[in-house]
Amino acid sequence: MKPFVINRHGRLVFPANVFGELDFTVLDTLEQFTAVIERDFEAKAPTGTDILHRVENGSYPSRFELLRDLGQNLFWVNRYSMTMFDKRPTRWRDVPRHRDDVFLPVLTPWEDRERKVAAVERAYQELPPRWAAETEDRVFALLFDVFRHKLHHATELPAIKPTVAEFLAQPDALTFVMPDHDPDHHVFAMDEILDADEEVPELEALTRWAMVLHNQYPWDGSRTTLRRAADIGPDDFVVTFHPRDRDVMAFIERAKQAHPSGPAVVGASRAPVEPMAPRTPYPPVRVREAFAVRPALEALAVVRGEHVCDNVDVIRNTSFSWSPMSAEEIARKTGIRERRYSARDPHQLALEAAGAALAKSGRTPDEIGAVLVSTCTSNRQIPSIACWVSGELGLAQTHTSMDLVAACAGLPYGLAEAVRQLQEVDRPVLLVCVEKFSDKIGSARTSRMIFGDGAAAMVVAPAAPGVPVDVEVLQTYASGPASEVNSIIWPNPEFDNDITVYGPEVKSLVRRYLDQMLGELSEQTDPDDPGRSLLESIELIVPHQANKTMILDLAAKAGLSADQLYFDIESMGNVSAASIPIAIHDAVRDGAIDHPMRIFEPGFGAGAVGGYAVVRIDPAIVADEVVLDPVETLPTAPAQRAPTTIDDVRVAFGE
């Protein structure tokens, strides 16, 4: 987990975006590691030669673009050291010669260094400021101090450094050497980095970059040279590299074995299997006709993450692996201007929503026959969130308490199971949809732009005789081409176990499922008016809030107009399983649902799952929103809660 923190200015900060740390427990080979490094550190970073050419060609319109290139270049230069090692200036005579966990970098002098350094300095002075000259000067001073004292080239750096014995066995090998070392050489404390505060969000991000890069060189760079072992005096200082933790050391040992020690990935080398359509289609379930116990929706309650993360917050936390993008560009690309994050764990959000839904329905816990939780981001497996919530509500026994993993189709999957449970228990079922993405995103911009945290709970009860049926039609799907099944992955070892979104495949599965859903609704008759189709009877479409721009584009191609759809994604982001019920709540709040209405609720997402519900929503069932206190002391729970203070994150990052 990679939680956000709240700094002393009350702003969200994402430490994973700037510290460049990796989870080495998910890396088994050097090839895997270098692939991650190439993607995260090299793909966007210019070399020193690239920067020189851009300077000489006048490619930089302002100082900001040059500063950004310098920062990305220096993260690339430090791609192996900052992810794997702590650097410790050590007196040469005190360096152990025969330990396998102490390393020395072997370095090649940087060609044409003086020309590149002089060109960058001259260009910066000649370029105009982009926003704030004083801040840009401060950032440049930090970055240029690192850049001008860089003595070695970075193109062919080895990931695993030689041990001291291996270094000594190479008479011509060069490493960092300095005549003395001040142990109090200035480095920025964690508080200073997280508390960076600039009016311009892009410059706040660069300020953090510069602080972190400065800390990569906790010695006086102006007095540092490259020397061979024979030229190092006993009182000279070298820079020893020490694995950051035992996981890094274990990875080094695995990589040196030249063969993976972990289990083989099942099916990893198999050729893709051609998907086969089912022998007969799966018809939608017409609830009135299929089930004796008919469902009534008695309550809907929602809980949003207590922290607002707007697009400016995202830009303030720009990772060095991102391409340039502004807050407004994020809004145009996704339809999202802010999303909600929570310091609470998913099970705590679920409990808040469940309690509010029960209160709205007037039901007591002992009336509940089953508790269902739809989620794909649970931090716990045993007990499941559903079982934990059951216990916290004081239920001595339920017929069923279980979690469902159906990602963004969590509501239709959950409703389908709730209706089935009604047939067995003939008493109310509590359905909770909950997600927490904020600590599972890492530094991936696509995910950071889209996902948020929140929960919704519904009480689904047996309908009294003569009462209108609230759940009309249910349909669920799963699978498809393997590329679509794997369109969203979490945890993903190839992305440091962060959630990963492959956009084109997601768009493909949404298009496929949306066409299928609309086709089925066109073929189904209205249960109350057989003379028209079910699609014609729909009064409002509340889709899964995936990406407003994408959904509107696909809906238009399917013949739907924008005014037929309701979105709250602008303020909530994508909350996966919880997105549809939260949007239903907001549609009532905004007056889009102002009387009992027939609603089409399509969901689609990773797995490749899909499904929909056609339901009757009465505004009277919607509870007032539960407002969470950002500074509330959270109850102790078996699962560790995400850190929300600087002290917490210092511990999390090993300081």
Side-chain angles (χ1 to χ4, degrees):
M1 304 301 174
K2 298 176 182 176
F4 64 86
V5 299
I6 306 299
N7 69 13
R8 68 183 181 91
H9 307 293
R11 287 178 174 162
L12 293 163
V13 182
F14 315 137
N17 281 19
V18 71
F19 288 107
E21 297 186 350
L22 299 176
D23 180 0
F24 281 85
T25 64
V26 301
L27 297 171
D28 204 45
T29 67
L30 191 58
E31 290 73 21
Q32 290 175 319
F33 174 52
T34 54
V36 171
I37 293 296
E38 287 171 2
R39 183 192 64 233
D40 291 351
F41 288 80
E42 295 186 26
K44 306 293 173 60
T47 65
T49 301
D50 292 334
I51 294 175
L52 176 63
H53 288 164
R54 293 172 189 178
V55 165
E56 292 178 340
N57 294 331
S59 301
Y60 292 113
S62 75
R63 291 176 174 178
F64 170 73
E65 290 77 17
L66 175 59
L67 290 173
R68 204 176 188 286
D69 270 7
L70 277 179
Q72 288 190 312
N73 169 266
L74 293 172
F75 274 107
W76 168 65
V77 169
N78 288 277
R79 59 195 181 276
Y80 298 127
S81 58
M82 76 184 304
T83 52
M84 299 181 72
F85 299 104
D86 291 324
K87 302 173 184 176
R88 302 175 193 170
T90 308
R91 200 181 304 272
W92 181 235
R93 67 167 137 214
D94 296 330
V95 174
R97 271 37 177 188
H98 302 292
R99 282 176 51 177
D100 63 359
D101 62 346
V102 181
F103 303 86
L104 283 174
V106 172
L107 306 166
T108 302
W110 189 20
E111 72 283 353
D112 212 8
R113 172 175 170 267
E114 293 78 8
R115 179 186 172 200
K116 294 171 182 175
V117 169
V120 166
E121 184 173 27
R122 182 176 63 254
Y124 183 80
Q125 299 304 327
E126 294 173 353
L127 288 168
R130 173 76 175 272
W131 287 294
E134 183 179 347
T135 302
E136 292 172 29
D137 286 347
R138 210 164 50 241
V139 172
F140 179 73
L142 289 171
L143 293 177
F144 187 65
D145 184 65
V146 176
F147 187 76
R148 70 177 173 173
H149 293 135
K150 185 171 78 73
L151 302 176
H152 59 91
H153 81 70
T155 305
E156 298 178 359
L157 285 175
I160 298 177
K161 314 304 180 188
T163 64
V164 178
E166 291 168 340
F167 170 77
L168 292 172
Q170 305 175 59
D172 294 328
L174 303 174
T175 197
F176 292 123
V177 181
M178 60 203 78
D180 50 36
H181 172 62
D182 176 8
D184 290 322
H185 183 87
H186 176 262
V187 294
F188 292 100
M190 176 74 76
D191 308 56
E192 295 177 277
I193 297 171
L194 298 180
D195 287 338
D197 179 26
E198 301 296 338
E199 183 176 349
V200 178
E202 288 85 351
L203 294 183
E204 184 171 311
L206 280 187
T207 298
R208 288 199 182 91
W209 290 16
M211 290 174 161
V212 169
L213 289 166
H214 168 85
N215 283 5
Q216 289 298 306
Y217 299 87
W219 62 84
D220 185 352
S222 67
R223 306 188 67 197
T224 306
T225 60
L226 299 182
R227 291 193 217 163
R228 299 177 303 163
D231 300 325
I232 304 174
D235 289 323
D236 288 331
F237 281 76
V238 298
V239 180
T240 54
F241 281 37
H242 300 256
R244 298 183 68 92
D245 52 39
R246 282 182 287 182
D247 292 335
V248 173
M249 189 64 214
F251 168 76
I252 292 173
E253 292 171 349
R254 290 196 300 273
K256 285 186 172 183
Q257 291 173 0
H259 60 82
S261 60
V265 178
V266 177
S269 60
R270 290 179 54 193
V273 177
E274 186 68 26
M276 295 175 286
R279 291 190 178 185
T280 58
Y282 299 105
V285 177
R286 296 172 68 88
V287 174
R288 298 186 197 180
E289 302 164 13
F291 297 110
V293 181
R294 297 179 176 183
L297 302 180
E298 292 190 342
L300 168 63
V302 306
V303 175
R304 303 175 207 272
E306 64 273 20
H307 298 285
V308 175
C309 174
D310 63 22
N311 291 348
V312 172
D313 289 316
V314 175
I315 299 304
R316 289 185 190 281
N317 288 279
T318 296
S319 169
F320 51 85
S321 63
W322 295 1
S323 299
M325 180 175 276
S326 69
E328 191 57 37
E329 286 171 330
I330 294 175
R332 287 198 300 269
K333 187 176 182 67
T334 65
I336 301 169
R337 293 193 176 275
E338 60 186 39
R339 66 288 295 148
R340 295 298 193 98
Y341 288 166
S342 179
R344 290 160 170 80
D345 281 324
H347 58 277
Q348 293 166 326
L349 294 173
L351 181 61
E352 294 272 8
L358 284 177
K360 177 64 177 177
S361 70
R363 298 285 186 175
T364 57
D366 60 331
E367 296 179 77
I368 300 300
V371 178
L372 306 173
V373 174
S374 284
T375 183
C376 62
T377 55
S378 175
N379 292 357
R380 57 165 64 240
Q381 297 298 315
I382 303 174
S384 67
I385 293 181
C387 286
W388 184 83
V389 167
S390 299
E392 292 296 308
L393 291 175
L395 287 162
Q397 190 174 70
T398 65
H399 178 61
T400 297
S401 290
M402 67 176 179
D403 292 357
L404 304 172
V405 181
C408 302
L411 179 67
Y413 267 73
L415 273 178
E417 183 58 31
V419 171
R420 285 191 286 266
Q421 288 291 325
L422 284 181
Q423 313 311 307
E424 297 180 15
V425 300
D426 197 19
R427 66 189 79 185
V429 173
L430 179 62
L431 170 62
V432 183
C433 299
V434 60
E435 304 288 9
K436 179 176 178 176
F437 285 98
S438 58
D439 60 351
K440 302 168 182 70
I441 293 171
S443 61
R445 186 179 67 182
T446 304
S447 303
R448 182 63 68 186
M449 292 191 303
I450 294 174
F451 292 110
D453 305 341
M458 304 177 77
V459 175
V460 186
V467 173
V469 175
D470 287 338
V471 182
E472 300 272 16
V473 177
L474 293 166
Q475 177 65 293
T476 57
Y477 319 110
S479 199
S483 60
E484 294 181 11
V485 170
N486 296 301
S487 61
I488 304 175
I489 301 175
W490 179 75
N492 186 354
E494 295 182 6
F495 278 78
D496 204 38
N497 265 359
D498 299 327
I499 188 168
T500 312
V501 179
Y502 298 97
E505 287 78 11
V506 172
K507 190 171 184 178
S508 175
L509 76 89
V510 173
R511 180 188 299 112
R512 174 168 63 88
Y513 278 145
L514 190 58
D515 288 345
Q516 185 174 354
M517 292 173 185
L518 294 176
E520 291 178 357
L521 292 183
S522 297
E523 295 169 0
Q524 294 282 313
T525 58
D526 177 353
D528 296 320
D529 183 359
R532 64 175 179 172
S533 72
L534 186 56
L535 181 59
E536 292 172 319
S537 76
I538 300 299
E539 296 174 83
L540 185 68
I541 302 172
V542 182
H544 163 53
Q545 308 287 298
N547 177 314
K548 184 176 181 180
T549 305
M550 177 185 70
I551 297 296
L552 284 175
D553 176 62
L554 294 175
K557 292 177 180 176
L560 301 175
S561 61
D563 60 3
Q564 293 177 271
L565 292 90
Y566 175 83
F567 291 94
D568 69 347
I569 191 172
E570 183 175 11
S571 61
M572 274 304 300
N574 177 341
V575 203
S576 194
S579 74
I580 294 176
I582 292 176
I584 292 289
H585 173 280
D586 291 351
V588 171
R589 177 200 64 193
D590 295 343
I593 301 176
D594 58 3
H595 65 279
M597 295 174 64
R598 182 172 283 167
I599 311 295
F600 170 43
E601 302 172 341
F604 19 68
V609 293
Y612 61 85
V614 176
V615 301
R616 174 184 172 274
I617 296 293
D618 185 339
I621 72 167
V622 175
D624 293 337
E625 182 177 335
V626 177
V627 179
L628 300 178
D629 184 353
V631 296
E632 180 181 337
T633 301
L634 301 180
T636 302
Q640 181 183 2
R641 73 177 179 90
T644 56
T645 68
I646 290 175
D647 287 339
D648 287 335
V649 83
R650 185 182 290 111
V651 172
F653 279 86
E655 293 199 2

